Each structure stands twice: as structure tokens, then as C-alpha cells.
Amino acid sequence: QKEVEQDPGPLSVPEGAIVSLNCTYSNSAFQYFMWYRQYSRKGPELLMYTYSSGNKEDGRFTAQVDKSSKYISLFIRDSQPSDSATYLCAMSGSSGGSYIPTFGRGTSLIVHP
Amino acid sequence: NAGVTQTPKFQVLKTGQSMTLQCAQDMNHNSMYWYRQDPGMGLRLIYYSASEGTTDKGEVPNGYNVSRLNKREFSLRLESAAPSQTSVYFCASSDNIQYFGAGTRLSVL
């Protein structure tokens, strides 16, 4: 079993839909949970992160962490064609002072007008 | 703030040539990283530097060397490029959260 599992998609939704992107993990030592957005031919851009468990909201984006189920989610409300990208989840915990994250493979999202 | 800056953005090499990819960060982060990203493989860690003066191997270090020149700069060197090193290379820096550069697209013919 991979340490972080993420469905590669593609996930295709109509504009305005609520999008749910998810990752599962196996390492209970993870403390930081991140979501990155990567447009084609660009670098990963940090969208949001949470420390430990709980929810975090930023505009149309909400990140949730359920440590008991080892499951994290990113919700996008009122999705737009400009949200079309690959979304990477990442998780980390302290290892000798360096937080080396473990990344999911990414989910490709397509929002069509 | 520029964040993480990588140069060059694109490079074409012939097999056996050498080159150095440069990375600089202005966020005063202690840790810096080099990844490669290939289709279907996700991000794979090549080397990292937890702090100035230290470097460690990641998942795929063979064929690469790194230098942590100072706190700001972390370079990746290919001594004798091979076609298998054709990839997109990303540098990142972090406190607890990683921030990435725009990437270098490398083709080895």
C-alpha cells in the first residue's frame, strides 16, 4: 500500500459544480496536510495547508482533515474553468528537523463551461 | 518576494554533457529540495538539504550531485547527462511547508 493514495482522475465537472478531491494515507505521524494546484507546464502552487486535524476555509476552497479515518479532502465551491488543473495532496511530519512531504500522484480536474 | 527562482527554464543537452541547475530562495528557509516530475510518476525527491552545510539523498539520487552553496542557494548538477534524465525539475524550499519554483524542462538527446 502506498503511503498516500490519490485518484488520478480525470474528474470532469460542469462550471458551478462543487468539487471534492480526496486523499487517504497510512502514516499516523503526519502532522501537516497540504494541497497544491499545478497548471500544465507550471510548478506546484500551494493552495492551502492545515496542521493536525480540522477544517480550513479560504474563499471557494475548504480543506478538511479526518485523522481518525486518515482521510483528507479539498472542496471547491462554484468551480470555474480556471480551476482546471492537477491537484496534489501532500503530508509531512518531522523527520530529523526536515519536513519531507509525501505527495499523492495528483488528481486532474477539468471544469467545462 | 520572488519566492523560489530556478534557472534555466529550458535546456537541451546531448548525452554525456554536463550542466548545473540553479535554485535560489528569498524566504529565509532552512530546508531546500530537488525533485523531478515525470508523467505518471508524480514528484520524486532527488536530494534535499535540511540546513546550510548538509545534504542527503532522496528517492532517486543516482546520476546527480548537489551543492548547498549558502542558505539561499541549492544547485543540482548532472555530470554526464543521460536520456533517462529527461524530465521537469523542481526546486522547493520550506519551513514546515514547501514552496516550489517554476521548474526547469530538461531534454537529453
Side-chain angles (χ1 to χ4, degrees):
Chain A
Q1 182 191 9
K2 291 193 182 70
E3 213 169 8
V4 176
E5 299 272 7
Q6 185 175 14
D7 188 331
L11 178 62
S12 182
V13 301
E15 183 175 356
I18 297 174
V19 174
S20 172
L21 303 167
N22 311 294
C23 290
T24 59
Y25 64 95
S26 57
N27 187 344
S28 58
F30 287 143
Q31 299 168 286
Y32 288 89
F33 302 90
M34 293 79 76
W35 285 98
Y36 292 86
R37 178 175 62 196
Q38 187 174 22
Y39 291 115
S40 180
R41 306 179 75 83
K42 300 291 186 183
E45 170 196 8
L46 180 69
L47 264 181
M48 301 178 70
Y49 74 92
T50 54
Y51 177 75
S52 191
S53 60
N55 295 357
K56 189 171 185 178
E57 187 173 323
D58 183 2
R60 297 185 295 111
F61 298 88
T62 299
Q64 288 185 353
V65 175
D66 181 347
K67 293 190 82 174
S68 62
S69 302
K70 296 191 177 67
Y71 189 88
I72 70 170
S73 300
L74 178 71
F75 297 97
I76 307 174
R77 291 183 298 281
D78 187 26
S79 56
Q80 302 295 310
S82 58
D83 295 326
S84 298
T86 297
Y87 290 80
L88 301 162
C89 65
M91 309 168 191
S92 69
S94 178
S95 172
S98 179
Y99 286 76
I100 301 174
T102 301
F103 285 86
R105 294 281 179 94
T107 298
S108 175
L109 172 66
I110 301 166
V111 182
H112 51 85
Chain B
N1 273 351
V4 179
T5 303
Q6 291 183 237
T7 55
K9 287 187 169 40
F10 304 95
Q11 186 70 49
V12 179
L13 292 177
K14 294 181 180 177
T15 297
Q17 286 185 318
S18 63
M19 79 161 295
T20 300
L21 281 66
Q22 307 286 355
C23 176
Q25 54 97 3
D26 62 5
M27 294 175 282
N28 202 35
H29 289 161
N30 284 318
S31 300
M32 297 185 73
Y33 311 78
W34 277 105
Y35 292 88
R36 60 178 290 173
Q37 188 177 42
D38 303 290
M41 301 294 291
L43 285 164
R44 291 186 290 171
L45 183 64
I46 304 171
Y47 271 93
Y48 69 98
S49 171
S51 61
E52 188 177 354
T54 69
T55 61
D56 285 287
K57 295 178 180 179
E59 182 185 352
V60 289
N62 291 345
Y64 305 95
N65 285 302
V66 291
S67 295
R68 184 72 182 269
L69 304 170
N70 47 56
K71 191 171 186 179
R72 289 188 64 247
E73 298 173 287
F74 189 38
S75 63
L76 178 72
R77 182 159 179 85
L78 288 70
E79 289 291 351
S80 179
S84 61
Q85 294 178 305
T86 293
S87 187
V88 182
Y89 291 86
F90 290 105
C91 177
S93 71
S94 76
D95 37 21
N96 299 322
I97 304 297
Q98 283 193 340
Y99 298 85
F100 284 83
T104 296
R105 293 189 171 274
L106 176 66
S107 291
V108 183
L109 306 177

